[in-house]
Amino acid sequence: GAALAIVGTLMLTLSDTLRAQVSNVIEGKLTSSMIRGDKTLPAAMMGEVVCRIFSIIPAALIWWAMGAPMDTDIPSLLAAIVTGFLIFNLASAASTVSLLKAKSSAITLIYFMGPVLSVFWLYLASLSQFTHLTLIGMAVIILGNFALYWVNEHRPKKRALS
């Protein structure tokens, strides 16, 4: 399990780096006649779409090589498209823009709330249940996040080199 977590973390980091670079290239090619104002969010959204399109091919090949069954009915395909292109693209683009524009301590606090929110959404969808261990884990995550935020906010500021 730990080895897979490490591999997953490395791949997510590589994916974030690739998406950021694609977004940077696209942002450089957008002109003021195409987009008025800040180009960061449109470039991030376009970068996400490009990366998702290119990721479909290896994902489909791996799925086919594993011989896994796949639902090909219209509702399943629509759910996959909405989840993969709309929800994940919007979430990833918003995350990219927030990392570029907000203080890192605030972004970290929000980002690490993901596991808590995931359990909550699963509970609302009747796919999970709350136990005393779940609530303790959520409390530890929330307290840890606030502690990290507090420490980062109260850290002495480094002076710029002159």
Side-chain angles (χ1 to χ4, degrees), residues 79-144:
I81 289 168
V82 166
T83 302
F85 280 96
L86 182 64
I87 294 172
F88 283 141
N89 277 3
L90 183 58
S92 294
S95 175
T96 300
V97 172
S98 67
L99 287 171
L100 294 172
K101 299 206 175 262
K103 290 173 37 175
S104 64
S105 58
I107 298 305
T108 302
L109 176 68
I110 295 167
Y111 187 72
F112 286 137
M113 291 297 289
V116 174
L117 292 174
S118 294
V119 171
F120 182 71
W121 291 121
L122 288 170
Y123 174 76
L124 289 179
S126 299
L127 297 172
S128 181
Q129 58 184 350
F130 282 119
T131 66
H132 66 285
L133 291 176
T134 305
L135 294 175
I136 291 170
M138 292 172 113
V140 167
I141 290 170
I142 291 169
L143 291 174

Side-chain angles (χ1 to χ4, degrees), residues 6 11-12 15 19 26 29 50 72 86-87 95 126:
I6 291 169
M11 291 297 109
L12 284 173
S15 173
R19 288 193 326 258
I26 290 173
K29 300 210 181 277
V50 168
T72 56
L86 182 64
I87 294 172
S95 175
S126 299

Side-chain angles (χ1 to χ4, degrees), residues 8-86:
T9 300
L10 292 174
M11 291 297 109
L12 284 173
T13 305
L14 181 62
S15 173
D16 288 343
T17 305
L18 175 65
R19 288 193 326 258
Q21 184 57 31
V22 169
S23 297
N24 286 337
V25 169
I26 290 173
E27 186 173 0
K29 300 210 181 277
L30 292 175
T31 64
S32 57
S33 63
M34 295 175 174
I35 307 267
R36 289 196 179 132
D38 190 5
K39 301 179 209 171
T40 310
L41 182 59
M45 287 294 290
M46 290 178 208
E48 289 296 325
V49 169
V50 168
C51 289
R52 298 241 184 255
I53 289 171
F54 282 109
S55 68
I56 287 174
I57 296 168
L61 289 174
I62 291 170
W63 195 276
W64 174 75
M66 292 174 54
M70 183 168 64
D71 291 331
T72 56
D73 59 338
I74 298 298
S76 297
L77 292 175
L78 285 175
I81 289 168
V82 166
T83 302
F85 280 96
L86 182 64

